[in-house]
Amino acid sequence: MNGKLQGIIVCTVIAASLAGVMVFLTKTGDTDKKGKDDSSSKASAAGTVEEDESVIILEKDSSEINSIHVSNEHGEFTVSKPTSGKASWTVEELGGINQNTTRKESMVTISGLMEAKKLVEENAGDLSKYGLDEPLSTFTVTYRDHTEAVVYIGDEAPESRYNYVRVEGSNNVYMVLGTKLTYFTDPVTAYAELALIATPSNESWPDYGVETVTRSDWDYEVTFENDPNDIEGMLSSQVISSPIFAYLNITGSSNVTHGMWGLTAADCVVVKPTEEQLSEYGLDDPFCTVSLKGDEYDYYLRIGNEAFDPDIPEDETPVKLGYYCYLEGVSGADCIYLISESSLPWTTFKIENVITSIMTANYLVDLSQITIEVGGEKTVYDITSNGSSKDTNEDGSVADVTSVKCGGEELDVENFKSLYQYIMTCPTDEICFTDPEGDSELTITETRTDGGGDTIELFKDTSRRYIVKLNGRTSFRIQSTWVDTLLKNMDNVKNGVKIDENY
C-alpha cells in the first residue's frame, strides 16, 4: 500500500490524545403451464400451507434472448447483444456512457422463463381495471430464432408487492413481483454505472497529488497535499497547505483527502447533459468544486443544487437526498449524477475539524534551540541530544535529549519536555485569516539541527484573544490564558517547578 496516498502511518509512539504529543519530545407466448407440479406446496410466513399457483409466462430461456426493447413513461431503450455473442449486453441509447453490467444481465435473466405468482383472471374482458389498457410499460423480447414476446405491465395490485401483467396474444392477467418489473419501468439512466471512480487495490494506489476544494460559502480555497516535511510519526501523510498550514488528524480528514476514490452515485439523472441542463441543476456555477490532480489522474467534481425527495408533499418537511454533480476526468461519465451528502464530505467539512491540535511537529531531539521573545527580551534554551528522531540504537532504543541549558544554567530535562509539550499544544481550534496590526508581543522560534524550524508569532487581538502567525501566515486565534500560563511555565522550568498543563 502506498503510504503517501493512504495518509495513514501506523505509529506506536503517537496517539490523537495529549499523550501523542510526547513523541515529539523524544522521537413469448401465453400459457397456463405450471412452473412446478400442481400438487406442490410451500409454507407461508404465517406457518400455514398454501398452494403454489406460480405460472411461467415466458417460456424461453434467457440464453435464447437476442434483445429487449422497453417503452415506458420515461422513453424507450433497447438492451441487446452482438450476434457474435462475445461482447456484453449493451444499452444502445447510453452510447459511450459506462453501463451497469449487473443490472443488464439481471434484466435478461428475469426475462428468461419469466414467472408470475399466479393467474388473476383468465381471458379478462375489462383490462382497464388492471391498468393494462394504458400500461405503465411495454417490453418486447426478441429471440435468436426471430420470434418475439410482448409483455404489458399494469397497475400495482392492491395491498401487495405485485403488478398486473399481460402477454400479447392473450387477455389472461397475471401478477408478477414488482421488484422484477422495475427493470422495465425505470428510465434508461437506471442502466448507467454509478461507481464513478474505483477504489484502488492495496498494491495499486497512485501517489497522492494535490486536492483543492472551493465552496460558495468560503472566501478562500482549501488545498491538501503531501507533508513537505515528511515527518515520521504523523498519522496522516497529508497536510493543509492553504489557506493555512496545518497537520491533519486522520479521523476527520481521511474522507476529505481520499473521498474521491470509491466515489459512487445514488442515481444517474441526465445522460450527456446540455449547457442548459447543467445550468438547471446548478452545475454552471456550482456550490462546491473538488479538484484532485496527480501524475496518473486529474479529477474535477462539480457539486451543484441540493436534491430533494420528489415524493414528499410540499407541506411536509423536505427530505434531502444529496446533490446534483458532474464529474470530469473519467471516461464514460458524461452525466449529471445524484450523489448522497455522506459521499460528499467536501460540502460540510470545516478546517477546524480535520486538523490536529499540534501546531508544529518538530521532535525535541531534532531541535538545537528554542527562543521565546517577550517584549523584546529573549529567553534562549540550548538543547543537546544523543542523536536524531531518525536514529535507533542497536538495543532498539531511540535518541533522547541529554541536556537543556538556559543562560548557561542546566535545566531539568524532563520538566523542559513538559514545557515543550505545552508549547506544541498551542490551540488550533479557531482558525483566523484577519491579519493583525502592530508588532508581535510574543514570538517562539524552534530551530532544528538541520537548519529548519518554525516560528510562532502572537499578536494581541482583544483582552481575551491573541492572533497567531505560523511561519509568517496568519492562521489561528487563541485564548490569552494560554499565553499567561506559558509565561508562568517559563518561570516554573527555570525554578524547577512542575509545569502547569492547564490554561
Side-chain angles (χ1 to χ4, degrees):
M1 182 184 298
N2 187 311
K4 272 290 177 190
L5 184 65
Q6 287 282 337
I8 300 174
I9 300 178
V10 177
C11 175
T12 60
V13 293
I14 182 169
S17 64
L18 185 61
V21 178
M22 292 298 292
V23 69
F24 296 97
L25 308 180
T26 58
K27 200 165 170 168
T28 179
D30 174 61
T31 178
D32 289 340
K33 179 171 141 184
K34 301 290 185 181
K36 301 174 186 162
D37 188 272
D38 286 339
S39 62
S40 65
S41 62
K42 56 187 176 181
S44 71
T48 60
V49 176
E50 60 181 25
E51 184 181 356
D52 183 356
E53 301 180 82
S54 60
V55 182
I56 298 296
I57 61 173
L58 295 183
E59 294 183 305
K60 294 186 179 181
D61 187 75
S62 60
S63 61
E64 300 183 55
I65 296 175
N66 189 59
S67 67
I68 302 172
H69 179 79
V70 176
S71 176
N72 58 35
E73 62 178 327
H74 306 289
E76 299 185 25
F77 64 91
T78 301
V79 177
S80 61
K81 194 171 188 178
T83 54
S84 64
K86 295 181 179 180
S88 62
W89 294 94
T90 301
V91 180
E92 299 172 3
E93 288 73 12
L94 287 179
I97 300 301
N98 298 330
Q99 301 179 15
N100 188 320
T101 300
T102 300
R103 186 171 175 83
K104 291 182 293 184
E105 292 178 349
S106 296
M107 176 200 216
V108 174
T109 299
I110 286 170
S111 300
L113 299 175
M114 178 174 276
E115 182 181 73
K117 177 180 173 61
K118 66 179 181 179
L119 172 67
V120 178
E121 183 179 353
E122 187 173 3
N123 195 26
D126 182 9
L127 294 176
S128 64
K129 64 182 180 179
Y130 301 110
L132 288 167
D133 57 332
E134 296 182 4
L136 297 174
S137 174
T138 301
F139 66 94
T140 302
V141 183
T142 301
Y143 300 100
R144 295 191 182 279
D145 62 4
H146 304 295
T147 59
E148 292 183 344
V150 182
V151 181
Y152 304 96
I153 302 173
D155 293 341
E156 182 178 343
E159 300 179 0
S160 77
R161 297 174 293 119
Y162 295 81
N163 283 69
Y164 299 117
V165 301
R166 179 178 75 87
V167 179
E168 189 175 74
S170 168
N171 275 11
N172 290 351
V173 177
Y174 303 91
M175 287 172 57
V176 176
L177 190 63
T179 53
K180 292 183 178 181
L181 298 177
T182 58
Y183 294 95
F184 313 101
T185 57
D186 281 343
V188 66
T189 52
Y191 289 85
E193 178 58 65
L194 299 181
L196 305 181
I197 301 176
T199 301
S201 65
N202 289 345
E203 295 76 25
S204 62
W205 280 88
D207 285 334
Y208 195 84
V210 177
E211 179 179 272
T212 303
V213 182
T214 70
R215 285 218 311 250
S216 60
D217 58 338
W218 294 343
D219 57 2
Y220 53 89
E221 63 181 27
V222 178
T223 302
F224 299 91
E225 58 184 293
N226 285 327
D227 180 6
N229 299 318
D230 195 20
I231 295 178
E232 294 184 11
M234 296 303 294
L235 293 180
S236 175
S237 292
Q238 284 72 51
V239 297
I240 286 181
S241 58
S242 176
I244 65 173
F245 180 91
Y247 297 96
L248 301 178
N249 72 69
I250 197 67
T251 302
S253 68
S254 59
N255 62 341
V256 177
T257 56
H258 293 77
M260 197 74 88
W261 285 281
L263 184 65
T264 300
D267 193 13
C268 175
V269 182
V270 180
V271 172
K272 298 181 179 179
T274 63
E275 290 299 322
E276 290 76 14
Q277 289 170 319
L278 290 171
S279 176
E280 177 185 353
Y281 289 92
L283 293 163
D284 59 335
D285 185 19
F287 155 66
C288 177
T289 66
V290 186
S291 169
L292 180 60
K293 297 182 180 181
D295 291 338
E296 304 171 38
Y297 52 88
D298 186 354
Y299 304 131
Y300 186 74
L301 178 66
R302 289 187 257 171
I303 304 172
N305 295 340
E306 295 175 311
F308 294 94
D309 189 341
D311 295 329
I312 302 299
E314 291 185 3
D315 58 344
E316 295 184 12
T317 303
V319 175
K320 185 176 178 180
L321 300 177
Y323 290 86
Y324 296 111
C325 302
Y326 186 83
L327 177 65
E328 300 174 42
V330 175
S331 177
D334 183 14
C335 300
I336 294 174
Y337 297 96
L338 192 162
I339 302 180
S340 66
E341 190 172 53
S342 62
S343 296
L344 299 171
W346 312 281
T347 63
T348 56
F349 90 94
K350 298 179 180 180
I351 292 177
E352 298 93 324
N353 297 335
V354 301
I355 63 178
T356 68
S357 59
I358 299 172
M359 190 176 293
T360 63
N362 298 303
Y363 289 89
L364 187 56
V365 292
D366 293 332
L367 296 180
S368 61
Q369 196 173 80
I370 296 177
T371 301
I372 302 178
E373 182 177 354
V374 182
E377 183 176 339
K378 295 183 179 180
T379 301
V380 180
Y381 301 97
D382 294 303
I383 304 162
T384 303
S385 302
N386 58 7
S388 74
S389 60
K390 301 182 183 300
D391 297 331
T392 302
N393 299 322
E394 292 183 0
D395 61 359
S397 62
V398 296
D400 202 354
V401 175
T402 58
S403 172
V404 179
K405 293 182 179 180
C406 180
E409 298 290 329
E410 288 278 355
L411 301 179
D412 181 271
V413 172
E414 295 304 317
N415 207 28
F416 184 78
K417 288 180 180 180
S418 296
L419 174 64
Y420 185 55
Q421 175 176 310
Y422 182 86
I423 293 172
M424 285 191 63
T425 55
C426 184
T428 60
D429 53 355
E430 183 183 353
I431 61 172
C432 176
F433 307 135
T434 304
D435 288 331
E437 298 179 356
D439 298 325
S440 64
E441 291 197 3
L442 188 150
T443 301
I444 303 170
T445 304
E446 301 173 5
T447 304
R448 293 198 304 267
T449 55
D450 63 4
D454 292 294
T455 300
I456 303 172
E457 299 173 275
L458 292 92
F459 299 78
K460 194 71 173 179
D461 183 31
T462 66
S463 60
R464 296 184 178 183
R465 291 287 188 273
Y466 279 82
I467 291 177
V468 178
K469 279 189 174 183
L470 177 61
N471 295 324
R473 296 168 66 181
T474 301
S475 303
F476 305 100
R477 183 182 284 111
I478 68 170
Q479 299 158 306
S480 59
T481 52
W482 186 90
V483 177
D484 297 337
T485 303
L486 172 63
L487 298 176
K488 183 175 71 172
N489 281 335
M490 291 174 64
D491 288 334
N492 287 346
V493 76
K494 179 180 179 180
N495 298 320
V497 178
K498 183 179 178 181
I499 297 300
D500 183 358
E501 298 177 354
N502 301 309
Y503 57 89

